[in-house]
Amino acid sequence: VLVAVAGCASSGSQSPVTQRTVAVADGQVLQANEVRGSDRQFDAPATQVWTALQSAYKALGIEPSVNDPRLHRMGNTNFHASGQFNGQPLSAYADCGSGPTGPRANNSRVYFSAITTITSLDATHTKLSTDVQPVAVDLSGTTNARMDCGTTGELETELYDHVKLALGGGGI
């Protein structure tokens, strides 16, 4: 039974992740991370944003396995990286906790699902919503168990930045 939901964010932080405390009736306290700002609006019609989104996924090296202009959805439900992605350690994109050698994401193969949905707000404004879900597999050889991870918001931000660049800076 859920008793309370309270949001808490660290002040002055540029991170798109907010930690939420969720208290439950039996006295247990659960922590959950939420990504702020997972939506972005652009000053461009949906057709232009769709083309820019294709360019953004290509620029990030993500081959879309989902490319559905009818449902306005694009992305890939199963791409992976080990150690680094886009020149950054995987911990910049996936929060899989820490182990004895540091962030677990950096020592794992991380599988990502990243799906972006386009919503036309009107003839000249479009909203993008991206859902990123990372899962890690430890590469140390001791186990093949999958670890659920959280997104840091960095992949979403880089995707939106590439869309904005492809549109000539038309983000809101």
Side-chain angles (χ1 to χ4, degrees), residues 55-75:
S55 296
Y57 272 101
K58 184 176 181 177
L60 290 174
I62 302 170
E63 181 67 34
S65 61
V66 175
N67 191 344
D68 189 340
R70 186 178 59 80
L71 294 177
H72 308 288
R73 290 172 32 104
M74 183 181 299

Side-chain angles (χ1 to χ4, degrees), residues 19-147:
Q19 190 171 64
R20 243 180 65 203
T21 302
V22 180
V24 291
D26 63 2
Q28 294 178 344
V29 176
L30 303 174
Q31 301 288 331
N33 289 334
E34 292 183 339
V35 177
R36 292 189 312 267
S38 62
D39 296 344
R40 293 290 194 289
Q41 291 183 22
F42 293 91
D43 292 329
T47 54
Q48 286 180 351
V49 173
W50 182 261
T51 301
L53 184 61
Q54 289 173 320
S55 296
Y57 272 101
K58 184 176 181 177
L60 290 174
I62 302 170
E63 181 67 34
S65 61
V66 175
N67 191 344
D68 189 340
R70 186 178 59 80
L71 294 177
H72 308 288
R73 290 172 32 104
M74 183 181 299
N76 190 311
T77 58
N78 193 30
F79 68 96
H80 62 85
S82 300
Q84 291 192 343
F85 177 74
N86 204 23
Q88 302 252 17
L90 282 174
S91 58
Y93 300 95
D95 180 1
C96 304
S98 292
T101 60
R104 284 192 175 108
N106 295 341
N107 300 312
S108 302
R109 174 172 287 132
V110 179
Y111 293 85
F112 291 90
S113 173
I115 301 294
T116 304
T117 303
I118 292 178
T119 305
S120 179
L121 300 175
D122 58 37
T124 60
H125 296 90
T126 305
K127 179 177 81 169
L128 293 184
S129 302
T130 300
D131 179 34
V132 174
Q133 297 177 0
V135 175
V137 175
D138 185 3
L139 294 178
S140 69
T142 59
T143 179
N144 287 334
R146 290 182 169 242
M147 298 176 281

Side-chain angles (χ1 to χ4, degrees), residues 1-19:
V1 176
L2 187 63
V3 173
V5 177
C8 34
S10 57
S11 62
S13 174
Q14 295 296 335
S15 171
V17 178
T18 300
Q19 190 171 64

